[in-house]
Amino acid sequence: MVAALAERLQSNIGKVIVGKTETVELLLTAILANGHVLLEDVPGTGKTLLSKSLAKSLDAGFARIQFTPDLLPSDVTGLSVYNSKSGEFEFKPGPVFTNILLADEINRATPRTQSSLLECMEERQVTCDGVTRKLAAPFLVIATQNPVETQGTFPLPEAQLDRFLMRLRPGYPSHEEALSIIDRFIRNDPLASLEAVATREALVEAQGMLGSVQVSEPVREYIVALVEKTRTLPQVQLGVSPRGLLALLRATQALALIRGRDYATPDDVKSLAIPVLAHRVMVRGLYGQMQPSEAIIEEILANTPVPTEATK
């Protein structure tokens, strides 16, 4: 069921996005694991287009926020407005009261505004004027940012980065993919005619099946070993937290379901180690740079024994 759902979504997104099969699979893995995604790459590589294609493929609520330096926390979460007729304050929900939230160029907002998403992302709720309001399920944040431009931006702090299940980089297309992009967009925009192929209820049901995926003891030991090594290397200032450990576990279970299995394998873990762990590792003297942290995870993968057989 989950594999068929993922295949439908991948195929539908593929009507707009050329190539990027691995990126789309990882994006769906994060969503199935009920996690948030940070799309980080240079401008024009399809980050926003990928997010919109996913949103249109799901029959669910969608909202987009263009993050700017003058954006206020209340512009994100909502605020209480005085109603002169009733003589009472009424809460006006912000864009976060949706199912899929696209936070475009999230690092252009001030830290104060960025922090307004912390409670939303971790606890799926908004507290305003002492009243806590739950967000609808599912609630997923897909944020984009440009890693090469620093003027007028505010790097995401560790607490914010740690709330993203994955950080993905779509990358440039190959020569053949570039030609396919021209052929596909030369007459019209395929996103405009894209239709939903899955419902919100189907996604929530699929998310509920995550616990049915068996993770054998050797695979569990492998996950823990990878995470613990991020805290022991001398060049690492900040390693992966327990939240990151559980994120890798959930993502491993989700990827197994997408690949049509009810059990996880070491290959699932290896496929997810960099997108799930790299942005949680702070290399000394290189804050905010992704490539050094990726190299750290690659080194850990190369030096950590892989279980030769995973039992169901």
Side-chain angles (χ1 to χ4, degrees):
M1 169 193 167
V2 178
L5 174 65
E7 186 177 354
R8 289 201 310 273
L9 288 170
Q10 282 180 301
S11 176
N12 204 52
I13 293 171
K15 295 177 181 178
V16 179
I17 303 298
V18 176
K20 312 306 175 193
T21 305
E22 182 181 355
T23 300
V24 173
E25 182 184 55
L26 290 173
L27 179 61
L28 295 178
T29 298
I31 289 173
L32 181 59
N34 203 22
H36 312 291
V37 178
L38 178 62
L39 295 175
E40 179 178 283
D41 215 327
V42 296
T45 50
K47 302 184 295 295
T48 302
L49 186 63
L50 174 59
S51 305
K52 289 183 175 180
S53 299
L54 171 66
K56 292 198 71 172
S57 297
L58 280 169
D59 185 16
F62 173 73
R64 178 182 182 273
I65 305 176
Q66 182 64 53
F67 278 68
T68 56
D70 60 347
L71 191 74
L72 298 175
S74 58
D75 296 329
V76 176
T77 58
L79 76 165
S80 296
V81 178
Y82 182 74
N83 188 325
S84 58
K85 292 183 178 180
S86 63
E88 298 178 348
F89 282 91
E90 296 180 354
F91 181 73
K92 300 296 183 182
V96 295
F97 286 86
T98 187
N99 297 122
I100 299 177
L101 177 67
L102 172 58
D104 219 358
E105 297 186 286
I106 189 173
N107 58 332
R108 290 197 175 278
T110 62
R112 179 189 176 196
T113 302
Q114 290 176 7
S115 65
S116 66
L117 281 174
L118 292 176
E119 182 184 16
C120 307
M121 294 173 68
E122 181 66 18
E123 301 172 56
R124 266 75 175 184
Q125 65 184 30
V126 170
T127 301
C128 180
D129 298 330
V131 179
T132 299
R133 298 172 174 86
K134 289 290 185 181
L135 298 174
F139 173 70
L140 309 162
V141 174
I142 302 176
T144 70
Q145 70 174 5
N146 173 8
V148 298
E149 189 175 356
T150 58
Q151 186 174 3
T153 63
F154 303 87
L156 295 177
E158 293 84 353
Q160 188 92 32
L161 286 172
D162 202 33
R163 280 166 168 78
F164 286 101
L165 183 75
M166 292 187 195
R167 179 162 65 173
L168 305 177
R169 304 180 69 194
Y172 285 120
S174 64
H175 179 76
E176 292 75 15
E177 289 172 347
L179 290 173
S180 297
I181 291 173
I182 291 178
D183 292 339
R184 186 168 297 183
F185 284 82
I186 196 168
R187 291 184 178 85
N188 50 47
D189 183 0
L191 180 64
S193 58
L194 199 67
E195 297 182 354
V197 295
T199 63
R200 178 181 63 87
E201 291 76 17
L203 176 59
V204 172
E205 184 180 355
Q207 289 174 336
M209 298 177 64
L210 214 64
S212 65
V213 177
Q214 301 180 49
V215 184
S216 66
E217 191 66 29
V219 176
R220 296 183 195 181
E221 292 281 354
Y222 186 50
I223 292 173
V224 172
L226 293 176
V227 170
E228 288 182 340
K229 285 190 177 182
T230 66
R231 307 170 190 158
T232 58
L233 295 179
Q235 65 269 43
V236 173
Q237 182 176 345
L238 181 69
V240 177
S241 67
R243 182 191 284 131
L245 172 71
L246 293 177
L248 183 56
L249 171 66
R250 291 197 305 271
T252 299
Q253 292 175 300
L255 186 59
L257 283 176
I258 286 177
R259 292 178 173 176
R261 287 182 275 102
D262 63 354
Y263 61 93
T265 69
D267 284 340
D268 296 330
V269 181
K270 293 175 70 175
S271 299
L272 294 162
I274 290 177
V276 174
L277 302 181
H279 65 286
R280 293 179 161 91
V281 174
M282 182 194 283
V283 183
R284 296 186 187 277
L286 296 171
Y287 172 77
Q289 298 185 32
M290 186 174 184
Q291 287 82 356
S293 60
E294 284 187 337
I296 291 292
I297 302 301
E298 289 176 351
E299 178 185 340
I300 291 174
L301 285 170
N303 296 322
T304 305
V306 181
T308 55
E309 183 177 351
T311 55
K312 294 185 179 181

